[in-house]
Amino acid sequence: GESVGLHLPTLSVQEGDNSIINCAYSNSASDYFIWYKQESGKGPQFIIDIRSNMDKRQGQRVTVLLNKTVKHLSLQIAATQPGDSAVYFCAEKVGGSARQLTFGSGTQLTVLP
Amino acid sequence: NAGVTQTPKFRVLKTGQSMTLLCAQDMNHEYMYWYRQDPGMGLRLIHYSVGEGTTAKGEVPDGYNVSRLKKQNFLLGLESAAPSQTSVYFCASSYIGSLAKNIQYFGAGTRLSVL
């Protein structure tokens, strides 16, 4: 089956800079996308989601952009802080699939002092 | 406000032993899921349930069984553990509502080692 993938497995940014984490998907039937943050030894924590009828959604310090033309999703974190260091996963839901999410392999974000 | 609670947090098994992982949620969610997470990989769906008394297979169901006898609980069983089942297991639950409510809420995980 089709799955979600990530462009880069690791990303290092300076504290205070903006972070951009990318995600590619291949299933054109996906109608919902979600980003999770997973800190070491913990379960994934919801960050932000977006429906396929939207191009952009903003939260607190985070923005998700969806480009359906090239099947690309990105998570932008403004003013990255040490507490943002974690693995970030994107996931997609295919329409009509009983709400099953397909997860990417994750990107490790490291915030440098 | 506990959310999703998994027990136990850690377990070591010998090959061939059996065990049950318990997941409990207090959010009155209809949907519940069991995932496994292996190093360098994303979460893979083992089994899921869309309501009390119903279960379905996910991406990697072999070697596992599940039961949903009560709405708030979802059990994952390993009848004869194998080293390939060494992993971190996560339970999640979600609301049955509209498309905007597809958020899955995760427990803290169970680290299982099979020797």
Side-chain angles (χ1 to χ4, degrees):
Chain A
E2 298 181 50
S3 63
V4 176
L6 290 163
H7 292 307
L8 295 173
T10 62
L11 176 66
S12 296
V13 298
Q14 293 293 138
E15 182 178 353
D17 288 350
N18 296 334
S19 302
I20 300 176
I21 301 171
N22 296 304
C23 180
Y25 67 96
S26 55
N27 194 332
S28 58
S30 295
D31 62 0
Y32 173 85
F33 303 88
I34 188 167
W35 282 98
Y36 282 93
K37 172 186 180 183
Q38 187 177 23
E39 297 175 275
S40 181
K42 297 183 178 180
Q45 179 183 7
F46 167 76
I47 302 173
I48 192 167
D49 59 353
I50 188 168
R51 298 169 61 167
S52 60
N53 61 356
M54 302 171 67
D55 297 323
K56 178 180 179 179
R57 191 168 188 210
Q58 289 184 295
Q60 186 176 10
R61 282 202 307 120
V62 294
T63 300
V64 56
L65 299 177
L66 176 62
N67 186 331
K68 294 181 287 295
T69 301
V70 295
K71 295 187 179 68
H72 184 267
L73 192 69
S74 69
L75 176 70
Q76 300 179 1
I77 304 173
T80 311
Q81 302 170 359
D84 295 327
S85 291
V87 176
Y88 290 82
F89 294 96
C90 64
E92 63 179 327
K93 185 189 81 66
V94 177
S97 63
R99 303 175 190 271
Q100 294 179 57
L101 295 174
T102 300
F103 286 81
S105 56
T107 293
Q108 173 70 59
L109 175 65
T110 301
V111 181
L112 305 173
Chain B
N1 189 4
V4 179
T5 303
Q6 292 184 233
T7 53
K9 289 184 171 52
F10 304 93
R11 186 71 185 267
V12 178
L13 290 178
K14 294 181 179 179
T15 297
Q17 287 185 320
S18 64
M19 79 162 294
T20 300
L21 283 67
L22 172 63
C23 178
Q25 53 94 3
D26 62 1
M27 297 174 282
N28 201 34
H29 285 169
E30 291 288 341
Y31 288 30
M32 296 187 75
Y33 313 82
W34 275 108
Y35 294 90
R36 60 177 290 171
Q37 184 176 38
D38 300 301
M41 298 181 71
L43 297 159
R44 292 186 292 169
L45 183 65
I46 304 172
H47 286 279
Y48 65 98
S49 169
V50 299
E52 182 179 327
T54 68
T55 63
K57 294 180 180 180
E59 179 186 355
V60 289
D62 294 342
Y64 305 95
N65 57 76
V66 288
S67 64
R68 183 101 181 265
L69 298 180
K70 294 182 179 181
K71 183 178 182 179
Q72 64 268 32
N73 296 336
F74 195 27
L75 279 62
L76 178 70
L78 287 74
E79 291 188 348
S80 180
S84 62
Q85 294 177 305
T86 294
S87 189
V88 181
Y89 292 86
F90 288 100
C91 176
S93 68
S94 68
Y95 178 57
I96 198 173
S98 67
L99 182 63
K101 299 291 185 181
N102 280 305
I103 301 168
Q104 293 184 17
Y105 296 87
F106 285 83
T110 294
R111 293 183 176 275
L112 176 66
S113 293
V114 182
L115 306 178

